[in-house]
Amino acid sequence: METGRRETRYSVDRDVLDEKHLEEASRRVENSDNQSLCAHLRESLRCSVPRLKRNMVSCFPILYWLPRYSLWDYGMSDLISGISVGIMHLPQGMAYALLASVPPVFGLFSSFYPPLIYFIFGTSRHISIGTFTVLSIMVGSVTERLAPDQFFLVLNGTNLTGEVNTEARDSYRVTVAATTTVLGGAIQVILGMVRFGFVGTYLSEPLVRAYTTAAAFHAVVAQLKYVFDVSPKRFIGPFSMVYTLIDLCSLLPQTQVATLLVSLVSMVVLIVAKELNSKFSHKLPVPIPVELIVIILVTVVSHWAPAHHLRRGCCWGTSEWAPTMPDASIFKQVIGDAFALAVVGYAISISLGKTFALKHGYKVDSNQELVALGLSNAAGGLFQCFSVCASMSRSLIQETTGGKTQMAAVVSSVIVLVTVLKLGCLFHQLPKAVLAVIVIVNLKGMFLQSCDIITLWRSCKIDLLVWLVTWISTVLFNLDLGLVISITFALMTVIFRTQLPQYSVLGQVPGTEIYLDMEMHKEVRSVPGITIFRSSATVYFANAELYLEALKEKSGLDITKMITYKRRQDAKQKRREMRAERRARRQANREADENGGDGGAVFSVEEEAEHWKEKELQESPGEGEPEWRGRENGTVFVMPARPNASGTWEYLKCGDPDSATLGSTSGLEGDTTTLASSCDDTLSRDLERVSLGSLGKWTWDIHSIILDLSTANFIDTVAIKTIQNIFHDFGEIDVDIYLAGCQTSVVEQLERGRFFNHSITKGHLFASVHDAVLYCLNHKGASTAPSYECAVNMRCNTRL
């Protein structure tokens, strides 16, 4: 049952406030950003005990929450959550190591060291740091580019064939992956220290989802060679995935049937078990570790199966626990990939962190998260780890199983450590095909993101375009170049949307101080004599010229022609005044002729004009252009059909007597009324009722234009000059310009840009559009619109 909303009314009784009086009333203080560099430096170097404590807690968040940790409240929940996440780390770490083209043990290393570092420096309580699909694929593209198989061929002297030295290849690939990870971590730390945490905001949600969806396609293609047990060629550069698929199809006849069978059975088991996990998640205390169970079962089957039926290829790899320095000689070759890893990893982690923080009511520091993730990668890279970030699947498990703090990450790291030290030898017989299947099945969520196309088609076409461009460029041009193209295109859409905003003329909602777009709302009405112009975006160098053109178009005024016409009219008026003075001096010496030679009816304007010209030349020969005695209203010249008598009036269209055409009040039909008064005031009032459109294009009834700048959050020098030109150009045709709704920062920028002078003062800036409207109506619009109803009554003592 619908309930009626109780109406609440309010009444405002105040003076119209321009910027000058608003600053006096509010006592605006000086912005601290205007302080000198030395003052900022002194403030940043000032030290105190509270500030030191605050900085220490900011750099080491563990100092804040660990002393307050309660084993009774959080201990059991973090233990269960840590065990669940640790069990997931095992299969995912080994499987994603294949994506990075390194031995599986290094995937477990990447699941052990980085979470411990993040435990100390991170601010999120629920995200799980470790291996992630997209970053593993990006690392794999680097390792396979710098360490392809053909670089490690050992030729056989008898038949000139070669075999790959896998031990040397894997060792160098680990070095490349660790070096790239250290460099990417260093980039993240530097960006975090210079407070560059907002960089992740440039990766919008459609861009990130499209990028991860495209990365999922790369991951599947990379794992197909293990599923079919074939060895396709390694392609690099644009369209490499297309070439790889073509090569895979050509190698399908060589598929190992036993490997394919194990892969298909494992895939079916994983899909069914995951669906059951999802369906009965509310009844299960922890999810069933399906991946780990499948790995154990397939390892047992592989151990007892004949070697020629099922190829065993999960080389555990040899490694040392001691830290190793990165290879600085390849920094130049991997700097671009490292930056891409840093940005993508941070964007994924901060989005997950903020999601859980919003859900559980705590705050995540974006800059500290960047530092924490960078230290996790940099320190992990020293221990031969590859790039890591937060995982969505593990983070959801950590949160849904009751995890409260990052203590759960410590428990999961212990699980991984025990596996590496005591259980690693058991996985020597594990086929890589099973790990490949685990990767493919875990990509289901990313493939489902393709449904975003339907949602974005209905909601926002520009976001859909960003999604499609990101997906296509990433699939065709690989992950690194695809990311550059995607970010560039996304930024271009922002530029185009600010460069081509929506311009509108506002009208008043009757009886209120609210002003809305007249084209979008039927009930709003225009304010007589006033044009209220608004742009949906801020005015800056890229759209300043378009802003001016849109203002001219929306106001219906051709400024260039009107200024030229106005100047001609002013010059003619001066000449008329001079001739009138001369005639007055001559007339003082003659006898006034009341009737003159003006008898007879006027049948046409041309005829009467010619008659007046001849008389003027007789009275003052050689003195220039004759005087037009007709009534001039703006740019419409009117004269009586019978001088000095009431009757019908005729007028000149187009305003300019040199190019005018004859018209009469009878020809205006319904657009006008007959002007039947010789009184100037009566004539003026009658002319106000004449349709402006029928009186020619040089007629305008706008006396004020209000620029609504409430949407502007900054203004640059180009925009300032443009607005100054607007004041000057419209001022030449006697149209006043006012600004309304300027934010304080915009006013300060106008002050620094020397916008204000003797002709443009803060009296031209008003607190709101309605303040500006009331001011214009009170000072210029009263005579043109005496019956206009305002939401707030005007005061006669409005300050000037």
Side-chain angles (χ1 to χ4, degrees), residues 344-360:
V344 174
Y346 170 69
I348 295 171
S349 298
I350 195 62
S351 61
L352 283 175
K354 288 185 175 181
T355 299
F356 290 119
L358 182 63
K359 180 178 180 180
H360 293 277

Side-chain angles (χ1 to χ4, degrees), residues 118 671 755:
Y118 185 84
D671 292 336
F755 175 76

